[in-house]
Amino acid sequence: MDASGELRCWDELIPDALCLIFRNLSLQDKLTVVPRVCKSWGRAALSPNSWQEIDLAEWSQRCKPEDLDRMVRMLIDRSSGSVRKISVSGLPDDSLFVFIAEHTSSLQTLSLPRSEISDSVVEQVAGRLSNITSLDISYCAKIGAHALEEFGKNCKFLVTLRRVMHPLEVADKVCQDDEAHAVAYYMPKLKHLEMGYLLLTSVGVLEILSSCRDLEFLDIRGCWDVRLDDNFVKERYPRLKLLGPLITNDCYERGLWEDCSDYSDSSGYLAWDYIDDGIAEFFDGESSDGGWDDPQGLEGLEVRFYGGGFNNDGFLGIEWPPSP
């Protein structure tokens, strides 16, 4: 409704208002539906303001590594460096992590569970992630205490860390108190910390509690070697909500973890091919405006909808334990 009290058409909304609305839409809708509605919506969908939050958490569980690489790079390019939140699972290698770090100077929330990133690349690029306040590196089996140290040294505003592992991923380790030490020494401002199923001891956890004085939530479910007196914790840390090490309502099933694959070419899945199907006509064929005919755009990128694809109902979650 404008100043005169008359209703305005959706296509007459200012681009910034459209971008705010589009943030509430699913990834599928933003990529496939919105650009086809009208020219103004298509332009707004290409605006950096529409891509300040990039959530590929569900989709990335079931896509090919090469498609994941292309999608992440394309959406970060579309954000023009203004992206503030990235959530993507299973980065296939270090190179994509380097790209994220080098092109997201405004990033505040970074979630990269199950990613194939290494200690060495974290050391290389952590300095470019100095603004992040929330980090999820759960199930990243190739990194350890050294990576946590580098994140702590360079990410001074970090208040949330999620570093949950799966028992099968730490079965060959003896003790991971070195990770607890890295958290305690280099991340003293943490308020929320999840380290479920790491091989921690009471010594490591007490070091964290002694150093992270602002800690309000600590999840150590499945850390079987930790023995803490409940009365002692309540008396010394009255603001702290502690979960674990005992587990309640555990949803883990060995068969689910082992049988679940990241990708399949089964013909029972619906494949959606982004090709040159006339989408560019919404932009009057002006590729110089960054339209859909951009060489790094969506054409040729195959997006598979596994059991609903982008839809939450189609995703079979294997991450555990769940955050409260």
Side-chain angles (χ1 to χ4, degrees):
M1 183 175 294
D2 59 19
S4 63
E6 297 182 359
L7 293 176
R8 299 182 60 181
C9 296
W10 282 93
D11 61 349
E12 295 179 356
L13 289 176
I14 60 175
D16 287 348
L18 287 173
C19 291
L20 289 174
I21 295 171
F22 294 163
R23 290 181 190 177
N24 298 311
L25 300 179
S26 67
L27 176 66
Q28 177 184 355
D29 288 340
K30 290 171 69 174
L31 292 177
T32 64
V33 177
V34 171
R36 289 180 165 90
V37 174
C38 61
K39 292 181 180 179
S40 62
W41 281 36
R43 293 191 185 97
L46 288 175
S47 168
N49 290 337
S50 293
W51 300 102
Q52 291 187 355
E53 295 188 2
I54 299 176
D55 187 355
L56 297 172
E58 304 290 350
W59 179 79
S60 57
Q61 294 280 349
R62 295 294 183 270
C63 69
K64 293 179 179 179
E66 59 268 27
D67 288 344
L68 175 60
D69 187 280
R70 291 184 61 190
M71 181 70 85
V72 171
R73 293 175 186 268
M74 182 197 68
L75 296 183
I76 289 178
D77 285 341
R78 188 167 292 181
S79 75
S80 298
S82 65
V83 60
R84 297 177 181 175
K85 177 181 179 179
I86 292 179
S87 181
V88 56
S89 178
L91 295 189
D93 51 47
D94 284 343
S95 64
L96 189 53
F97 181 51
V98 172
F99 180 86
I100 291 174
E102 292 180 345
H103 295 82
T104 56
S105 58
S106 300
L107 194 63
Q108 297 175 357
T109 299
L110 179 61
S111 179
L112 303 174
R114 303 183 185 88
S115 292
E116 298 294 319
I117 58 176
S118 63
D119 283 341
S120 59
V121 77
V122 172
E123 181 180 12
Q124 175 186 341
V125 305
R128 296 180 177 270
L129 300 169
S130 59
N131 291 322
I132 65 171
T133 60
S134 178
L135 176 66
D136 186 350
I137 46 175
S138 297
Y139 315 110
C140 295
K142 292 185 177 181
I143 61 175
H146 184 63
L148 292 176
E149 177 181 335
E150 292 300 322
F151 278 123
K153 287 179 179 178
N154 293 279
C155 307
K156 299 299 185 180
F157 303 108
L158 197 64
V159 294
T160 298
L161 174 66
R162 193 163 190 268
R163 175 62 174 160
V164 178
M165 297 299 290
H166 190 279
L168 298 180
E169 294 172 324
V170 299
D172 61 336
K173 300 182 183 298
V174 177
C175 180
Q176 293 175 289
D177 274 353
D178 56 343
E179 295 199 20
H181 175 74
V183 169
Y185 193 82
Y186 296 102
M187 303 179 183
K189 296 182 180 180
L190 284 180
K191 295 182 178 180
H192 183 110
L193 175 61
E194 299 180 40
M195 302 187 78
Y197 299 92
L198 266 70
L199 300 181
L200 304 179
T201 69
S202 302
V203 174
V205 173
L206 287 173
E207 185 177 6
I208 291 174
L209 294 178
S210 298
S211 300
C212 303
R213 306 298 297 181
D214 296 329
L215 203 61
E216 299 173 356
F217 177 86
L218 176 61
D219 184 351
I220 52 171
R221 284 176 288 180
C223 300
W224 309 118
D225 290 331
V226 176
R227 301 288 187 272
L228 296 179
D229 182 84
D230 289 341
N231 293 328
F232 168 79
V233 173
K234 292 178 181 178
E235 182 179 340
R236 287 288 300 272
Y237 311 101
R239 295 191 307 162
L240 178 68
K241 179 179 181 181
L242 179 67
L243 294 185
L246 298 179
I247 302 172
T248 57
N249 299 324
D250 188 7
C251 65
Y252 170 60
E253 295 182 13
R254 179 182 295 267
L256 175 61
W257 180 268
E258 294 177 346
D259 295 340
C260 187
S261 61
D262 288 335
Y263 173 76
S264 170
D265 274 324
S266 170
S267 59
Y269 298 128
L270 174 63
W272 187 297
D273 296 325
Y274 292 98
I275 58 177
D276 187 4
D277 57 357
I279 295 177
E281 70 184 25
F282 284 109
F283 302 93
D284 299 325
E286 296 179 8
S287 60
S288 61
D289 289 338
W292 294 98
D293 50 351
D294 188 312
Q296 296 183 357
L298 284 171
E299 61 276 16
L301 175 60
E302 183 181 77
V303 180
R304 296 179 180 270
F305 296 98
Y306 288 81
F310 291 102
N311 300 324
N312 292 337
D313 294 340
F315 171 64
L316 179 62
I318 58 176
E319 181 173 319
W320 67 279
S323 298

